[in-house]
Amino acid sequence: MLIYPKNSPTINIPRNRSGLLDMWNAFMLKGARFSPNDIPLCPTTATTPPSRLISYDEAKSIHRKEMQNSNVDYHVDVFIHFYIDDQKFDGKRSSIWLYPKNALEVICHFAGMIAPDFSTYADFPEPLKLWNFYRMCTFGYWVGTLGIPVISNVRWGTEETRRYCFDGNPQKSMLAIGTVASGIRLVKNRLLFETGLFYMVDLLEPHTIIVYGSANYPCFDILRKRGIHIVSFPSKTSEAFARKKQYE
């Protein structure tokens, strides 16, 4: 069970002075609660599963077109996801972390978002993996405080990441995961994915899991039998293959 101390540490931001920059986005953490590993809790503020998902780069493309048409009050009833290459949302010019207010200008026009999926590859140094978990939860928490529906994103890696990788996710809630780059398609990697999935379910007890990518694996059938609502959305690649097959 995850325990968030009532007297969670607070971040004291120095008073404004000439040349002062908030380089670590401390402004995002106002009112946040922290785990013993100093990961902020990112609650799911969305109350129902999304009807459709689009990627952040697709959302940016829509935003550009609407702005070109001077349609500043447009709204699209879909959720944004970040199950895409990091360079598309964390590059030098595209970074939602370096330019969060630019990202917010896009996100606020959509129905909600799944918290960002910063990569935590097994061969990453441990501090980098921890930093990306921290950023994922921090950004998701901040957007949720602004009244935009957010679904907490769950990510796990090899066994040592269990020490902190679920710290930012709420219990007995709706959560989101991605299977596209999880390695689940390869039988040799499936056990690692399934072990992490079952560990997460036992720890967090979600009532709903949003899956970006295929959920047609026995592990999800087991969760369905346990009464967990599994809502899956095909990846963009899967949709392209399906269209191709349709015309063959």
Side-chain angles (χ1 to χ4, degrees):
M1 181 177 178
L2 301 179
I3 299 176
Y4 286 79
K6 290 183 179 179
N7 297 322
S8 296
T10 57
I11 292 182
N12 294 315
I13 303 174
R15 299 292 180 184
N16 290 339
R17 70 172 187 266
S18 178
L20 181 65
L21 294 175
D22 178 6
M23 296 174 61
W24 296 279
N25 292 352
F27 73 91
M28 292 182 177
L29 293 167
K30 185 177 181 181
R33 297 170 63 202
F34 294 81
S35 76
N37 291 308
D38 279 341
I39 301 291
L41 176 65
C42 174
T44 290
T45 59
T47 55
T48 58
S51 58
R52 188 174 156 231
L53 298 179
I54 64 170
S55 64
Y56 178 64
D57 54 334
E58 290 176 301
K60 285 201 302 181
S61 178
I62 291 171
H63 181 72
R64 281 194 297 269
K65 290 177 182 176
E66 295 294 347
M67 292 300 101
Q68 287 169 1
N69 293 328
S70 300
N71 188 10
V72 295
D73 295 321
Y74 79 93
H75 178 76
V76 185
D77 192 22
V78 299
F79 267 58
I80 296 171
H81 74 79
F82 295 83
Y83 300 115
I84 51 179
D85 290 340
D86 289 60
Q87 63 184 4
K88 294 181 178 179
F89 67 93
D90 198 32
K92 289 183 178 179
R93 295 184 179 179
S94 63
S95 176
I96 62 172
W97 185 256
L98 295 178
Y99 310 106
K101 292 179 182 178
N102 290 350
L104 185 62
E105 288 178 5
V106 176
I107 295 167
C108 69
H109 290 280
F110 293 79
M113 75 167 203
I114 295 173
D117 192 58
F118 294 103
S119 289
T120 56
Y121 294 114
D123 58 354
F124 275 10
E126 201 67 15
L128 181 55
K129 287 189 276 191
L130 188 55
W131 170 237
N132 279 348
F133 279 115
Y134 172 86
R135 293 198 296 161
M136 175 176 72
C137 297
T138 299
F139 193 92
Y141 166 77
W142 173 61
V143 172
T145 63
L146 300 176
I148 297 171
V150 170
I151 302 173
S152 188
N153 182 50
V154 188
R155 218 181 210 288
W156 59 90
T158 43
E159 189 173 350
E160 74 278 359
T161 65
R162 293 182 202 163
R163 177 176 61 84
Y164 54 81
C165 69
F166 303 121
D167 279 15
N169 303 120
Q171 292 179 303
K172 301 181 185 299
S173 186
M174 176 165 55
L175 301 172
I177 65 173
T179 61
V180 173
S182 66
I184 192 174
R185 292 181 63 185
L186 300 176
V187 175
K188 65 178 182 179
N189 295 334
R190 198 164 297 171
L191 180 60
L192 176 64
F193 177 87
E194 292 177 344
T195 302
L197 177 65
F198 292 137
Y199 185 90
M200 178 272 287
V201 167
D202 289 340
L203 180 69
L204 301 177
E205 303 179 73
H207 56 71
T208 303
I209 299 177
I210 308 300
V211 181
Y212 178 74
S214 177
N216 295 324
Y217 296 97
C219 56
F220 291 108
D221 291 332
I222 293 171
L223 298 185
R224 291 183 182 100
K225 289 177 182 177
R226 289 174 60 173
I228 298 173
H229 188 204
I230 306 295
V231 182
S232 64
F233 295 88
S235 68
K236 198 172 179 181
T237 304
S238 298
E239 289 179 330
F241 274 122
R243 286 194 297 270
K244 184 178 178 182
K245 270 189 153 184
Q246 192 176 12
Y247 293 104
E248 284 180 350

